[in-house]
Amino acid sequence: MATETGQTNAQTSTSVVAAIAPTPPVVTVPVNHGEKLEKFSGTDFKRWHQKMLFYITTLNQARFLRENALTLNDDETDRQVVVAGDAARHADFLCQNYILNELDNTLYNVYYTIKTAKELWESLEKKYKTDDA
């Protein structure tokens, strides 16, 4: 009887282990957001531009460099649309400030008034891509 109980317990524990065995973990690459890029001072724009684009991409913010900022009508009443609009504006604000924070203080003072990340990115490209060429 002890043998039967032993076998039953062994079979049960094997079944339980198989049932609760964790699925293989998803491999993620940790991003160190504390790592700072070299601040852009007006020279070597192409290098800074590529590094900044990579950094923004790792933060999942690169779409704000291509897309126009979301605008809503003042009379919008759909709660989901309003919340989505607020989230998009906040994410654009973050992207814009990630870029601004990597500018030298003198350039920051020139560009901080630009309203969206896309406008800021395009303004920097227009000014400094032609200078590098």
Side-chain angles (χ1 to χ4, degrees):
M1 189 152 172
T3 307
E4 288 178 23
T5 308
Q7 287 177 347
T8 305
N9 288 343
Q11 290 172 350
T12 305
S13 64
T14 303
S15 299
V16 170
V17 170
I20 60 171
T23 58
V26 176
V27 177
T28 58
V29 178
V31 177
N32 184 358
H33 297 296
E35 224 175 275
K36 288 290 185 181
L37 297 175
E38 186 177 317
K39 292 207 182 256
F40 178 61
S41 61
T43 58
D44 204 7
F45 177 74
K46 187 175 182 179
R47 181 173 178 259
W48 177 85
H49 186 263
Q50 282 300 108
K51 286 185 168 199
M52 193 70 216
L53 182 58
F54 178 74
Y55 179 65
I56 294 293
T57 301
T58 62
L59 298 172
N60 294 321
Q61 300 284 318
R63 72 171 188 254
F64 297 104
L65 304 178
R66 298 180 306 273
E67 298 174 1
N68 290 323
L70 182 64
T71 56
L72 298 177
N73 296 332
D74 292 336
D75 59 345
E76 183 63 59
T77 58
D78 185 351
R79 177 105 173 107
Q80 287 181 325
V81 172
V82 172
V83 169
D86 288 345
R89 279 190 300 280
H90 179 70
D92 183 77
F93 170 81
L94 290 175
C95 183
Q96 178 186 9
N97 282 281
Y98 286 133
I99 297 167
L100 286 171
N101 284 327
E102 298 308 321
L103 297 178
D104 186 70
N105 287 341
T106 56
L107 292 176
Y108 181 93
N109 292 336
V110 172
Y111 290 100
Y112 80 95
T113 58
I114 295 178
K115 301 292 182 203
T116 67
K118 181 182 178 187
E119 290 172 4
L120 173 59
W121 194 247
E122 289 174 349
S123 180
L124 288 165
E125 286 179 335
K126 184 177 177 183
K127 168 72 173 147
Y128 292 101
K129 270 192 174 178
T130 56
D131 285 355
D132 276 359

